[in-house]
Amino acid sequence: MASEGDRCRWRLAPDALETGPFVHVAACSALPQIISLPHAIATCRNWPGPGSERCAVRRHGGAAEPEAFVPVQDFTLDAYASILRAGLDAGYEFYPVFDWYDLDAPKGAGIMLRHDVDRRPGNALKMARLERDLGVRSSYYFRSLPCSFVPDIIKQIRDLGHEIGYHYEDWHLARYDPRKALALFEDHLARLRTLAPVRSIAMHGSPLSRENNMAIWDHHTFTDFGVIDAILSFDYTGYVFFTDSGRTFAPSGANLRDYLGNAGTVAGVGSSNDLGAWLRQHPGVRVQINVHPERWNDPGAAWLRQWATDQAANTVKRGLRLVRGTNRAAKPEAT
Ligand SMILES: [Zn+2]
């Protein structure tokens, strides 16, 4: 598979016809590939197989120039590092969620960096090491389920200096029974606290659940447990929120529940390159970035598997949105 740094270039087929969202290119070497067009990100598709010299590329928006295209894979650790570097270059400091809450100084610009570790905690450990190497600290929220809760990894991330938080979904696990949900929450929080101090929590989206996991707080009070909530404990007016839910940082129909109070979102900032560029151009903002480590893989089998998983999940989530009639009020858009 081609990756960043390869000499492979994408060329428009000699008889290229741009039809709707597709443009035909020659010299495809592998699939799927995310390629960077001058004004858009595109996904190569309809590739007949190895040896083929022709495929169609689906554009995700914007206008493309009919010229050479260099393939760039997004959602790799290198791409993630480029976002952090862009933030650092722009003078931003990164904060774990509780540190930001606990700041004595009036809050100016800064980036709250948060990770919901839904699956593949090994990816979280790689990300945590990369951040440490760049001098960045962040928050890692772990679920109570074995796909996320791996004590050895949690302890290693703690030892790298990052915040450990609880990614709760007890309302869903208890099937919306307030008493049972509280018992589960207490139990899971206590178990996580045997591994690290836990001062903040963040809800898991549970897309298949009919109710939001934050509904548990209609019946109980999280401050009773000595924690703040990454969403509920802040007034996010004036903040800008980026999440990679839906495999894009732009607002997406495939994002069902990953929102942040009154924080604004930015249409058009979809890729890591876009987000890096936005940070460089907007140095003085209060920002929260939520990155799911499972989504970020080095080029290869894991990257392909996650790419396919995300495509399927996005289709399901868009379907759920239609079925549930999820229709959020328009969010303020930041620039
Ligand atoms: Zn989650």
Side-chain angles (χ1 to χ4, degrees):
M1 170 185 304
S3 61
E4 244 181 301
D6 281 2
R7 291 287 161 258
C8 170
R9 294 185 72 80
W10 294 70
R11 293 178 285 108
L12 277 176
D15 57 344
L17 283 177
E18 274 202 64
T19 50
F22 293 95
V23 354
H24 290 266
V25 300
C28 290
S29 59
L31 249 197
Q33 278 185 337
I34 306 299
I35 66 169
S36 173
L37 306 180
H39 305 294
I41 293 295
T43 308
C44 187
R45 47 184 284 152
N46 300 344
W47 187 55
S52 166
E53 291 189 346
R54 181 71 59 94
C55 70
V57 171
R58 182 183 179 81
R59 287 188 308 187
H60 293 249
E65 302 290 337
E67 56 190 35
F69 305 134
V70 180
V72 176
Q73 271 187 299
D74 204 349
F75 299 97
T76 62
L77 278 179
D78 282 350
Y80 179 65
S82 76
I83 297 172
L84 299 183
R85 286 200 192 92
L88 293 167
D89 289 349
Y92 274 109
E93 283 193 47
F94 289 83
Y95 297 86
V97 170
F98 187 80
D99 285 39
W100 180 256
Y101 179 86
D102 204 33
L103 271 185
D104 283 338
K107 293 176 176 57
I111 298 177
M112 301 167 75
L113 183 56
R114 165 185 150 206
H115 302 287
D116 293 349
V117 186
D118 288 348
R119 291 165 210 88
R120 303 189 198 291
N123 282 25
L125 181 56
K126 284 186 194 166
M127 199 163 257
R129 286 180 176 142
L130 185 153
E131 289 170 351
R132 190 270 321 268
D133 291 347
L134 292 172
V136 165
R137 291 173 59 241
S138 68
S139 299
Y140 285 83
Y141 292 95
F142 288 90
R143 299 167 72 184
S144 60
L145 306 180
C147 60
S148 171
F149 188 88
V150 176
D152 180 53
I153 287 179
I154 294 171
K155 285 191 275 186
Q156 288 188 65
I157 293 178
R158 171 201 70 191
D159 290 346
L160 288 166
H162 300 293
E163 179 185 16
I164 303 296
Y166 177 35
H167 197 36
Y168 63 92
E169 56 193 304
D170 304 290
W171 187 244
H172 170 62
L173 295 177
R175 293 290 177 268
Y176 325 120
D177 175 327
R179 214 167 42 86
K180 237 191 245 177
L182 182 68
L184 285 177
F185 179 84
E186 278 187 299
D187 186 43
H188 294 151
L189 181 63
R191 191 174 54 149
L192 190 56
R193 278 180 163 158
T194 64
L195 306 173
V198 177
R199 300 187 185 92
S200 72
I201 57 176
M203 68 96 181
H204 174 57
S206 298
L208 298 180
S209 173
R210 66 180 156 85
E211 293 193 20
N212 189 313
N213 279 314
M214 288 193 291
I216 187 176
W217 308 127
D218 295 340
H219 308 270
H220 307 289
T221 309
F222 55 81
T223 49
D224 289 349
F225 300 93
V227 291
I228 61 158
D229 187 287
I231 296 169
L232 298 172
S233 296
F234 297 85
D235 174 5
Y236 281 112
T237 307
Y239 285 65
V240 177
F241 180 51
F242 295 100
T243 174
D244 64 356
S245 287
R247 206 178 177 85
T248 170
F249 286 105
S252 156
N255 176 10
L256 293 182
R257 296 208 167 109
D258 194 2
Y259 295 98
L260 195 69
N262 289 327
T265 54
V266 185
V269 174
S271 68
S272 298
N273 280 345
D274 293 341
L275 179 51
W278 189 91
L279 291 172
R280 288 180 202 277
Q281 290 159 11
H282 301 83
V285 183
R286 283 178 286 177
V287 178
Q288 185 178 122
I289 302 176
N290 185 13
V291 166
H292 296 75
E294 70 181 288
R295 185 155 288 125
W296 300 74
N297 294 281
D298 289 328
W303 189 95
L304 274 173
R305 186 178 54 219
Q306 187 60 40
W307 181 89
T309 302
D310 283 339
Q311 304 307 313
N314 286 352
T315 302
V316 170
K317 286 180 179 176
R318 288 196 176 96
L320 284 171
R321 175 176 287 268
L322 285 177
V323 170
R324 289 178 186 154
T326 310
N327 215 350
R328 287 176 54 84
K331 302 290 296 175
E333 295 232 330
T335 51

